[in-house]
Amino acid sequence: MANPLLRPLFTRTRKTLLIPFTSSNFSKPISPIRFPLNPLKPLPSFDPSTSHLPSTWLIARFSTEALIHSSFSPSLIGDKDKLKGNKKSLKKSRFDFTKVYAKLLPTVILVGRPNVGKSALFNRLIKRREALVYNTPGDHVTRDIREGIAKLGDLRFRVLDSAGLETAATSGTILSRTVEMTGNVLSRSQFAIFLIDVRDGLQPLDLEVGKWLRKHAPGIRTIVAMNKSESLDEQGLLAAAAGEAHKLGFGDAVAISAETGLGMAELYGILRPILEDYMLQLPTEKKKDEDSVDCEMDCGEENLPLQLAIVGRPNVGKSTLLNTLLQEERVLVGPEAGLTRDSIRAQFQFDNRTIYLVDTAGWLERSGKEKGPSSLSIVQSRKNLMRAHIVALVLDGEEIARKQSSMNHAEVVIARQSIEEGRGLVVIVNKMDLLRGKKNNSLIDKVLEIVPQEIQTVIPQVTGIPVVFISALEGKGRISVMRQVLETYQKWCLRLPTARLNRWLRKVMSRHSWKDQATQPKIKYFTQVKARPPTFVAFLSGKARLSDTDLRFLTKSLKEDFDMGGIPIRITQKSIPRKTPSIKTSKIKSNSSPRLGPRGVSDKRSHSSDVSF
């Protein structure tokens, strides 16, 4: 059996280093320093198959994590002070990005031709799988601009994921509109990462995208990233690919792999100095806004950022509504159904409140036949519905007037699922501008009457769901929508004190008609245990329970008396057992009762006096 000292060598050969005793290092203690990824090989004179380890060798185990810009040198062995100084100099940064408000961070946009891995790199940088990633060479998965906060080491910056650029696209097509949208976003970006597929080599479309960047963004610092380089790294072909990438005219390229994380340290080394220079050049006056925003966010639940999800069937105007609320062309819109694939998240301020908008893809029923990006879009829409605080269900006003029905099966599913998950619901009827005219006046009146009635019929457990009629294309109804959303959110976050609830309960129970007064459940007290949505607990004495009719009566009374219509309310009940004397307490009472007489004289004294007589 081999020597136990050799077990670390056989089990973790990449983490074992053999160092001979020489005159240069014999008197110095060996410190656990870090070395490059490839450890030193043992000298030829050492035979690891033997059980005897020569005394002139010392086994030292080291971590395989490599320091940036460091190399092995025998003179560094045992020099702890020098190594610690190098580590501090490597970690020390001129600027702390983690303490900067998101609006002040520099913006980096990811550009390139289709299917080069922009969305995969976006997910790698934000450390979440938000952007849809699917290998479709003949199709464009990403069509809108997606924004997130990148976390690369100690660096923080805003990163934008753009659609694949095809500069020769026909005017008016989806591709031409995506190119135009990317050009508009470049105006608010400071840096760009130009991605190319190193496995395919430099394509003519890459050269066209490079010319387009120099034309539309001459003042933006551009970094060329050779993506999908994990296979070429083993074959040693990266040097040739890097030389070919110089034709783009943006300097040296960095080899990365968004899928495996290869090259992120090199990308960090390139981005860090230019991002630090940008932050140090910002005026100090902008930092005052950061403190004011932080104070607003710490004032309570009602002032926390509001998550608003816009859902509905395809081609009802969800993306147009998002652009109207943001007052900018943020997402792609058009007459084509199913234009939105990714769930786009955007942030804006309304009445000094931070609101996160999420534009979801068109809600479709899962038939099991969906393939590719459409199947991923359905799953992503359902996830965003669960994360939202308020759900804005968008309906088509023109279709309602034509079919004399406000909601189909898919929209009923959305509304019921939102209520079951405890979310606030706001119904928005869009495209009301198409019903104008003398002949359509009666249709408008019918739509205004049909929608609230049918919603109440479909969702009877929640009364007073707000309905807003707008025209997102003309920008009418924007303020009404946001005010209704904020009002619903305040109700959703409402908290009522226990004393007020119990005073209300006494009045309510007195006017409730009970079937049997003898078996009437007695509510000891009524309290709210949580908000978002409001959840209440009724504590009952005895074994009697509140029936479903009683619970519906309490829910309806809460909504009417405290103006909580349009949000789900949950009421649970718990029974309080009656206090019964236990065995121990009964024994203690039985033992303690005869101990003292009526005048404080014990039985023992009285008994002894009887004996003395």
Side-chain angles (χ1 to χ4, degrees), residues 28 57 65 68 72 86 117 166 200 218 322 327 376 390 435 478 520 523 564-565 570 609:
K28 298 180 181 180
W57 288 84
E65 296 180 3
I68 304 174
F72 173 74
N86 290 339
E166 289 192 10
D200 297 339
L322 178 71
Q327 295 184 328
L376 299 178
I390 306 297
L435 301 180
R478 172 180 176 269
Q520 175 184 347
I523 302 178
M564 301 173 67
R570 297 171 178 174
S609 61

Side-chain angles (χ1 to χ4, degrees), residues 506-518:
R506 287 193 293 268
K507 297 178 181 178
V508 168
M509 298 299 284
S510 62
R511 68 172 183 254
H512 182 51
S513 58
W514 301 95
K515 293 183 179 180
D516 189 2
Q517 297 291 336

Side-chain angles (χ1 to χ4, degrees), residues 239-294:
E244 191 178 9
H246 269 278
K247 297 180 182 179
L248 296 172
F250 296 107
D252 296 335
V254 56
I256 67 170
S257 174
E259 184 177 357
T260 63
L262 177 69
M264 291 297 109
E266 288 76 7
L267 184 62
Y268 169 87
I270 295 174
L271 287 174
R272 177 176 168 178
I274 60 177
L275 295 181
E276 288 178 348
D277 293 340
Y278 171 80
M279 294 302 300
L280 293 174
Q281 292 175 2
L282 283 179
T284 56
E285 297 178 356
K286 291 186 177 181
K287 296 181 181 180
K288 297 181 181 179
D289 299 336
E290 175 186 356
D291 300 333
S292 61
V293 174
D294 292 339

Side-chain angles (χ1 to χ4, degrees), residues 369-432:
K369 300 180 181 179
E370 300 88 358
K371 295 181 180 180
S374 60
S375 61
L376 299 178
S377 298
I378 296 174
V379 176
Q380 195 178 58
S381 298
R382 281 161 171 75
K383 288 182 179 180
N384 284 285
L385 180 64
M386 307 304 171
R387 298 174 184 172
H389 299 155
I390 306 297
V391 176
L393 176 59
V394 184
L395 306 179
D396 190 344
E398 184 184 16
E399 186 175 354
I400 293 173
R402 185 173 62 253
K403 294 184 177 180
Q404 298 294 322
S405 176
S406 59
M407 302 175 69
N408 59 11
H409 180 67
E411 292 163 342
V412 171
V413 169
I414 298 173
R416 288 180 176 175
Q417 189 170 355
S418 302
I419 297 300
E420 290 174 359
E421 293 295 331
R423 307 296 182 251
L425 180 63
V426 177
V427 178
I428 300 173
V429 182
N430 193 20
K431 302 184 181 180
M432 294 299 293

Side-chain angles (χ1 to χ4, degrees), residues 300-343:
E301 290 182 349
E302 294 184 2
N303 294 323
L304 292 176
L306 191 157
Q307 308 280 346
L308 175 61
I310 304 175
V311 298
R313 294 184 298 106
N315 204 25
V316 294
K318 300 183 298 297
S319 299
T320 307
L321 177 60
L322 178 71
N323 290 338
T324 302
L325 296 177
L326 296 177
Q327 295 184 328
E328 64 172 317
E329 294 296 326
R330 178 62 184 276
V331 294
L332 194 65
V333 296
E336 299 88 357
L339 194 59
T340 302
R341 286 180 174 174
D342 268 317
S343 294

